[in-house]
Amino acid sequence: MITYEYPFNERIRTLLRLEDLFEKMAHFTRGDASLEHHAALITLFEILDVAGRADLKMDLIQELERQRQTLLAYRNNPDISEEALSDALYEIEQASAALLAMSGKLGQHLRENDWLMNIKSRAAIPGGLCEFDSPSYYWWLHRAPEIRREALEGWVGSMKPMHAAAAIVLRLLRSSGQPRNHTAVAGHFQLNLGGTAAQMVRVSVAEEQQAIPEVSANRYFLNIRFTKPPQREIKARGCECDVSFDLTFCNL
């Protein structure tokens, strides 16, 4: 199954982008090749840009506190594992404390690093980081892999509290809904939501169906159009056959 996630608001869009970027950052940092570490650094700059929202830190703190209060209501519930509940509360409290301990704008110390910011500005120019454009960066790429990796881990390390908090919120969001099976007749599906609020919808499709969902939604209607994977076609073609899929509405 391939699961596609479609956020319904900007806050969840931002958290999903950060999750994707942190995963890429970790993947490229683990490698040894200079090109992998170059990709990791470019990804770090993207994290800085996405995390630059002034209200992101407070949004995460408020959401974690809301989830903490929700979980506290389950204390002494015989159907809930006290150990699992305590572990979840501890994780949330640790993430909140780490966020509160962060001073200033997220990644501010990186923005104050003139060398990094010069590389960031050059990276915005196609081919702008050639050796003749930035010899100091060319020299850095020739340092030992372990030295580069240590630097990358240090630069991204200061933003790990934000990464941890976002991971908790997204995990709770994804676990909030139950999948239901539906069929898109001739590749089209519409559902009347009746004003129901949702923060994200997940569409899971078996890979062998060769169908890609395109989702549009508001508070009242959800529309899904399935298209065929692009091959030689310039424009995607709609599916003409019925498509079975699982649909999950997620809301915190």
Side-chain angles (χ1 to χ4, degrees):
M1 298 286 279
I2 301 177
T3 298
Y4 302 83
E5 295 181 329
Y6 296 87
F8 288 169
N9 60 59
E10 187 58 33
R11 184 182 61 154
I12 302 303
R13 277 192 286 272
T14 298
L15 295 184
L16 289 172
R17 288 186 178 112
L18 284 173
E19 178 186 59
D20 178 69
L21 290 170
F22 275 112
E23 287 178 0
K24 290 176 180 175
M25 175 81 188
H27 172 78
F28 290 126
T29 299
R30 283 193 295 268
D32 288 335
S34 60
L35 288 178
E36 290 177 297
H37 289 171
H38 169 75
L41 189 58
I42 299 302
T43 305
L44 176 64
F45 295 150
E46 293 184 55
I47 292 173
L48 270 179
D49 289 337
V50 174
R53 275 185 49 202
D55 56 346
L56 179 58
K57 175 180 170 182
M58 190 52 61
D59 277 353
L60 285 169
I61 291 173
Q62 291 174 349
E63 186 58 50
L64 288 174
E65 177 58 23
R66 195 165 71 86
Q67 294 304 316
R68 189 180 76 86
Q69 293 297 332
T70 299
L71 291 177
L72 283 173
Y74 290 104
R75 286 285 195 194
N76 302 318
N77 187 322
D79 296 326
I80 302 297
S81 167
E82 282 293 323
E83 182 179 358
L85 183 60
S86 295
D87 289 345
L89 286 168
Y90 177 77
E91 185 181 18
I92 289 174
E93 288 163 0
Q94 289 293 104
S96 295
L99 277 176
L100 286 168
M102 296 176 69
S103 59
K105 193 175 182 180
L106 292 169
Q108 185 58 37
H109 75 292
L110 298 180
R111 294 183 178 90
E112 294 171 354
N113 185 318
D114 291 340
W115 185 75
L116 279 177
M117 291 303 99
N118 179 63
I119 294 171
K120 185 175 184 294
S121 64
R122 296 296 311 173
I125 304 170
L129 283 174
C130 287
E131 59 192 87
F132 54 83
D133 286 311
S134 185
S136 66
Y137 180 57
Y138 188 66
W139 172 83
W140 183 80
L141 289 175
H142 281 76
R143 303 202 74 188
E146 57 271 16
I147 295 176
R148 297 195 306 264
R149 186 177 301 109
E150 182 180 359
L152 289 166
E153 290 173 347
W155 291 329
V156 77
S158 63
M159 291 188 285
K160 283 187 176 179
M162 179 184 61
H163 182 201
I168 292 172
V169 172
L170 288 175
R171 185 171 71 245
L172 292 171
L173 178 63
R174 287 175 175 130
S175 64
S176 65
Q178 292 295 324
R180 293 186 178 181
N181 187 258
H182 295 275
T183 299
V185 179
H188 287 84
F189 176 81
Q190 185 178 79
L191 186 66
N192 188 336
L193 302 180
T196 302
Q199 292 175 296
M200 184 173 73
V201 65
R202 309 182 83 209
V203 180
S204 299
V205 188
E207 188 173 354
E208 58 269 19
Q209 293 208 71
Q210 296 284 298
I212 301 171
E214 295 180 353
V215 177
S216 60
N218 54 37
R219 292 182 60 189
Y220 302 98
F221 288 97
L222 170 76
N223 291 284
I224 303 178
R225 172 179 176 261
F226 286 90
T227 62
K228 304 294 289 184
Q231 295 177 0
R232 296 182 180 179
E233 300 87 355
I234 296 176
K235 183 182 293 186
R237 294 185 298 112
C239 288
E240 298 177 356
C241 57
D242 294 351
V243 178
S244 175
F245 65 98
D246 288 341
L247 183 65
T248 309
F249 287 96
C250 304
N251 195 32
L252 290 174

